Amino acid sequence: MTTGAVPPVRSLRPLVGVLAATVVSLTGTRVSAIALPWFVLATTGSATLTGIVAFAEMTPYVLVKALTGPLVDRLGPRVVSWTTDAVSAVAAGLVPLLHAQGLLPFWMLLAMVAVIGAMRGPGDLAKSVMVPEAADHARVPMERATGLSGVTERLASTIGPAVGGGLVALVGPLAGLAVNAGTFALGSLIIALALPAGMGRSAVPVPVPAPGPDAAVVPVEPDQRGGYWRMFREGFGFLRTEPLLLTVTVMVGVTNLLDAGFSTVLLPVWAQESGHGPAALGLIGSVLGVTAVAGSLIAAALAHRLPRRTVFFVGFLLAGAPRYLVLALDVPMWAVVAVFAVGGFGAGFLNPILGAVLFERVPRHLLGRVHALSDSLAWTGIPLGGLLAGAAVALVGLIPGLLTAGVLYFATTTLTGLRPEWRKMDRQRGHVSAEADEQVTEGAEVGLETARP
């Protein structure tokens, strides 16, 4: 079972529901990405404390996401998605409420963003895991489904910064935090009401003999046969046998660390020191999002015909180091916007390619576990990004920090591409996933030996 059983009737509802919930929840997150750092800067005036808040949110995100893969596979991603979004809505709503009452000391702010991060991790994972099955229901190619998923992410990156920058400039950062709470609540309702019950539970069936004289064969989902830690080991065992996925994880882990420091500290500090203010953050983010949507739309339409490896590294070349360089130079605002526009177009191709490769190479019943582990490893540096960027600004200043990060970004996304594993990215579609499903299913019949560490 490579891509899941094809439903007897084509239905776009699951795919539309997943994409709608994703764009709503991520839009709120993008609004918060502007409102929260600006709130901390406005109330404390400290880049270091801004980095600490980012650390407090992203550390639970990474840790909880890494550990909830087996739970997503067992409980089903639909249930995990709507429940975690509901908890996030409550925690996000408490921040402006408590601050308005004068009851929000800094330690409590850290606690609230930690809860949001802990819930966002499994919530984001669950929505992503449902994409392959939603593609089966809609009967669309995997590249197209991941491309459309990329479009929703980029739409959130367009709408969110525009709304966030406008709200912060006109009303204040607390309004942006309130919007974040509302979008989490709406995303929870969409998943709970629009998606069919049991969505995401379709795993590769493993035939086992039923008790009785007839010894009938009864299909049993592999995910339901073991305990939590056994399921966790199975996911880890599969991931470590995939050189391409491991190489991608390491490279993206470094770029994620740099991107986190850029978005949570370097960019807001640049906006403050340059005098452009939060409106510039909204403009830059929206322009980047618009061009990224264009890139994702092209990826959705043509990704199955393009050389993945070439497009992937060219996209990183456009989306990475130039952003750091242009902020370090004394250039007009139009030049900054132009660089971010080109970078957004390149970035639009990245996640659709990464998503298609992951979904092709990982058997469906292991997807939650492997996706959680690979994502969490790739996001391990994100909590440190804000801390390191804040420390760099405090020690050497904004411009040296931007230049150093830009050089590291260029080296990571260029030198990594010389490794031989990347050739597997352009292998014929579907063959890898089919082989992996067959191997893991055979292993499941004898105790999942091939999936053990």
Side-chain angles (χ1 to χ4, degrees), residues 191-399:
I191 292 293
L193 300 179
L195 271 61
M199 179 80 176
R201 296 294 298 275
S202 58
V204 179
V206 179
V208 297
D214 296 332
V217 173
V218 179
V220 176
E221 291 185 358
D223 298 333
Q224 297 176 348
R225 303 186 314 113
Y228 171 86
W229 289 111
R230 179 177 180 177
M231 294 172 66
F232 188 91
R233 289 195 302 270
E234 289 164 3
F236 180 80
F238 179 85
L239 179 60
R240 75 173 191 171
T241 65
E242 279 288 324
L244 175 59
L245 294 183
L246 288 175
T247 302
V248 169
T249 298
V250 172
M251 188 193 80
V252 175
V254 176
T255 60
N256 279 344
L257 182 149
L258 297 171
D259 283 335
F262 181 81
S263 61
T264 61
V265 176
L266 297 179
L267 187 58
V269 171
W270 169 83
Q272 186 182 56
E273 292 189 358
S274 65
H276 292 298
L281 298 180
L283 174 62
I284 289 171
S286 297
V287 168
L288 186 146
V290 168
T291 56
V293 167
S296 295
L297 285 172
I298 294 174
L302 302 175
H304 58 289
R305 300 176 183 173
L306 299 175
R308 285 179 177 173
R309 184 170 37 154
T310 301
V311 173
F312 183 73
F313 284 103
V314 170
F316 258 124
L317 182 64
L318 297 177
R323 294 174 298 148
Y324 296 83
L325 179 61
V326 74
L327 295 188
L329 301 175
D330 186 14
V331 298
M333 188 64 188
W334 65 264
V336 175
V337 172
V339 169
F340 275 77
V342 174
F345 182 77
F349 289 85
L350 300 179
N351 283 348
I353 292 175
L354 289 175
V357 170
L358 176 70
F359 293 143
E360 286 175 359
R361 302 190 70 85
V362 180
R364 185 68 58 84
H365 69 281
L366 294 177
L367 189 55
R369 283 161 275 180
V370 177
H371 199 345
L373 288 168
S374 61
D375 267 15
S376 297
L377 291 173
W379 284 52
T380 300
I382 290 182
L384 299 175
L387 289 177
L388 293 176
V393 171
L395 293 175
V396 301
L398 176 63
I399 303 304

Side-chain angles (χ1 to χ4, degrees), residues 66-75 227-229 231-232 368-369 372:
L67 296 173
T68 50
L71 297 180
V72 170
D73 283 337
R74 182 181 293 277
L75 299 177
Y228 171 86
W229 289 111
M231 294 172 66
F232 188 91
R369 283 161 275 180

Side-chain angles (χ1 to χ4, degrees), residues 92-174:
L94 285 175
V95 174
L97 180 63
L98 292 174
H99 180 77
Q101 301 297 322
L103 301 174
L104 188 68
F106 187 72
W107 67 266
M108 187 173 292
L109 174 64
L110 294 180
M112 291 296 100
V113 298
V115 171
I116 295 171
M119 294 297 101
R120 272 185 55 214
D124 289 352
L125 171 66
K127 294 180 184 65
S128 179
V129 166
M130 287 187 284
V131 169
E133 186 181 346
D136 294 341
H137 281 277
R139 297 183 182 176
V140 300
M142 190 61 65
E143 288 96 345
R144 186 154 298 167
T146 57
L148 291 173
S149 180
V151 170
T152 63
E153 294 176 7
R154 300 307 174 180
L155 280 174
S157 297
T158 304
I159 300 169
V163 173
L167 283 175
V168 171
L170 296 176
V171 184
L174 291 181

Side-chain angles (χ1 to χ4, degrees), residues 61-89:
Y61 182 103
V62 173
L63 292 177
V64 175
K65 189 175 187 179
L67 296 173
T68 50
L71 297 180
V72 170
D73 283 337
R74 182 181 293 277
L75 299 177
R78 175 180 170 273
V79 172
V80 173
S81 178
W82 76 259
T83 53
T84 54
D85 276 0
V87 176
S88 295

